[in-house]
Amino acid sequence: MKNLMKGISNLFSNYLWLFLALVASNTAMSTSEEAQTYIVHMDHSNKPASFSTHESWHRYILASLSSMQDTYKEETLLYSYNHVMHGFSARLTPSQLSELEKLPGHRATYRESYGKLFTTHTPKFLGLKHSSGLWPAASYGKDVIIGLLDTGIWPESSSFNDRGMTPVPERWKGVCENGTAFSPSNCNFKLIGARSFSKGLQAGGINISKDFDYDSPRDFEGHGTHTSSTAAGNSVITAGHFGYAKGTSRGVAPGARLAMYKVLWGQDTAKSAATDVLAGMDQAIADGVDIMSLSLGFDQTPYFNDVIAIASLSAIEKGIVVVCAAGNDGPSHNSTHNGAPWIITVGAGTVDRSFLGTLTLANGLTLEGISYFPESVYITNTPLYYGKNNTNKANCERSSLDPIEVTGKVVLCDNNPEGDVYSKISEVKRAGALAGIFLTDKLILDPEDYSMPSLVLEKSGGSLVRNYAMATNSSMVKEMKFVTTKLGIKPAPQAAYFSSRGPDPISPGVLKPDILAPGQDVLAAVAPNKPFMEVGIYSLVTDYALYSGTSMAAPHVAGVAALLKSVYRDWSPAAIRSAIMTTADATDNTHSTIRDSWTGLPATPLDFGAGHINPNKAMNPGLIYDIGFKDYVEFLCNLGYTDQQMSAVIRKNLWTCRDNSSDLNYPSFVVTASNVTTFPMVRNFTRVVTNVGDDNSIYRAISESPSGMRINIEPNTLNFTSKGQKQGFVVSVEINQKDQSSIYGYLKWVDQHNHVVSSPVVAITI
Ligand SMILES: *[C@@H]1O[C@H](CO)[C@@H](O)[C@H](O)[C@H]1NC(C)=O
Ligand SMILES: *[C@@H]1O[C@H](CO)[C@@H](O)[C@H](O)[C@H]1NC(C)=O
Ligand SMILES: *[C@@H]1O[C@H](CO)[C@@H](O)[C@H](O)[C@H]1NC(C)=O
Ligand SMILES: *[C@@H]1O[C@H](CO)[C@@H](O)[C@H](O)[C@H]1NC(C)=O
Ligand SMILES: *[C@@H]1O[C@H](CO)[C@@H](O)[C@H](O)[C@H]1NC(C)=O
Ligand SMILES: *[C@@H]1O[C@H](CO)[C@@H](O)[C@H](O)[C@H]1NC(C)=O
Ligand SMILES: *[C@@H]1O[C@H](CO)[C@@H](O)[C@H](O)[C@H]1NC(C)=O
Ligand SMILES: *[C@@H]1O[C@H](CO)[C@@H](O)[C@H](O)[C@H]1NC(C)=O
Ligand SMILES: *[C@@H]1O[C@H](CO)[C@@H](O)[C@H](O)[C@H]1NC(C)=O
């Protein structure tokens, strides 16, 4: 790791949960004839044969609008879309829009919306090994192409070196754009595509060239560099974060290739326009990516209004796996984003690693506390200050400390109900103390908030120090030191407190999130173009940093999907998801149910989906629950959409809704009850599994259910004689009483070859 400023060798990052929460577009002033940006979905079968391309047809439509001024004809078209939908985006006045909506072939209109954003150790934590399992079987993801829709990429990062990689496959149609501080020569055999999309944002009045971002695929924010290196960074030795988390950094699929589609722009809170996201996804499909990873999202809205859902379904139809972050709106329930059933929706888990400082008191007591302070300073034999004469509490509220009393001392600050440690660090710093010890019940702090030597102690440790201070008039800190990384922390993983939880607001009957992956304190490459944090007079810069968010979890799953795609070229996106879900771990490293990091209590599938991803097991799932495009159409048939809404989602005029009661062949089960349900209630699910394991396999069904739930499987034995064979069964779930909270159990198919194909069965009241 390089440091670009002063002599401090570590740098830290912060919880950037740059999950893109789309804010409704109410920015345009609404004088009646003001132009606004719209996405217009057209039925391409209406294109007259005289137009050789869709774009020429789109331009013609726009130019022919009676109210269109000649001067606008050229500029009004932003993008012409060919893959995610047939249509375009343009600046239109209300009268132009209504004229357009009357044209034959008009399918749907969407108003522009704007959004803002939402591993050295992690691959090892996932169980990936060089000697056996998925890494060697998949040749580390060789020749699979992962496209990321993000803030851009810092191509010089060591994580994107192409050591050991072969020339770009001929099927690849992508390019590396020229632009500000970026040229095609920045690409190599690892980074094989880099494009940027900002027309929509600029049409909305945002000047991206002005102290805002690089007008090119280069990453200003750092987020896209982080997600890219997490998914497929090559190995880099001595990556670290100001000394924390040192080791070898490598992506989940270090042999896979990367293509960046920059659709998020800006510095601290990157923004994006729906038109640009759609253009990026359209291009990624055209270029030939195998996997798409989106650490962004929009406000939850029905699928016929959700451009990511529509574009993803188009990608899925072409066999492209789409992985999306679930959002950072936890721990509230009903908060998942990107929950369409064709998307792999990823929640964030903690990893088994802590960042610590150590405190030794004059009485010999030694304690470890949480600290991300980036310098290995030592504090020795310093008075401890805990209010006047150590008899009063020191709340360290704003302006409460007297510099004369605390200068040169270590200040001990009490817990307050809000758990706001950030403002206390500021106060201790303002008053000129040497260091701070902060007692808290609930810690919400970003790594870069540790801008002075600080140690955070949770409950029991805190009361030991408090008791010592109150019992002694001349209490002293013998020693404080920083920069310790501790592995093997238990319990881990936990569902990170910020990770969005199910049920899904749009389709509560499909369990979301699907899966948990590492998303808290993930170390990966960042853009070393700006200070990461300030410590005293120093601005610290780093090229590897710890970020947290479901943004960080999604690229882990994209990497695992790339590895699986490398082993099983013919698997559908749903088969890959099924393998990941049915082999996930619902237990932590203490063999208990994964906990919720917010409450410390056992979490449920509404928090962790099928469980925490286990890549080596996903390589050999035994059975898969496959789903094809037609099945998703059937699913949509049951939502009661109008014909126009249906055609807007599936981009076709003809479809058949065969069977209104058919279930999506999903690898998890949700029984929904409402306040009018009478109990006991029974819900039957039909499923079909495909044998991808051994030829002769006999599976027996095992059900695990809590009181109040009964799971019956018919037949309860599946006898396969060859690979590829399919067998159907019915799962009958009986719920005996109304339950305030959710209850859940499991259906597991177990064969004689040690395959365990596990699915959560959840009952919720909506
Ligand atoms: C590449 O972009 C830079 C910056 O925008 C510009 O100065 C340069 O002329 C461009 N080069 C080519 C070959 O277009
Ligand atoms: C954007 O900012 C640049 C630099 O200040 C300026 O030259 C340019 O004219 C601006 N463009 C628009 C459309 O405002
Ligand atoms: C605190 O200590 C100072 C001097 O050390 C003394 O003057 C003062 O009376 C003490 N106050 C209390 C409340 O004990
Ligand atoms: C601390 O100092 C005060 C005032 O000097 C004295 O009254 C008190 O007994 C002392 N407490 C202890 C624990 O030594
Ligand atoms: C779930 O969220 C959606 C959208 O955010 C909201 O409309 C709905 O009322 C919520 N449902 C519940 C049960 O909270
Ligand atoms: C299918 O279900 C939807 C929603 O429940 C309903 O509106 C529609 O009439 C049903 N269609 C048929 C063919 O039963
Ligand atoms: C069920 O809930 C809805 C909305 O919360 C309410 O309007 C309705 O009266 C409830 N019905 C019963 C039977 O409680
Ligand atoms: C559900 O399945 C069970 C057998 O598993 C069957 O006895 C029952 O009739 C089914 N109920 C419905 C409503 O289809
Ligand atoms: C499974 O099927 C094979 C071939 O039909 C048959 O020989 C075998 O007895 C069956 N096993 C069981 C347990 O049903």
Side-chain angles (χ1 to χ4, degrees), residues 178-183 215:
N178 184 53
T180 309
F182 201 94
S183 82
D215 187 3

Side-chain angles (χ1 to χ4, degrees), residues 389 470-473:
N389 299 338
M470 289 175 69
T472 324
N473 268 346

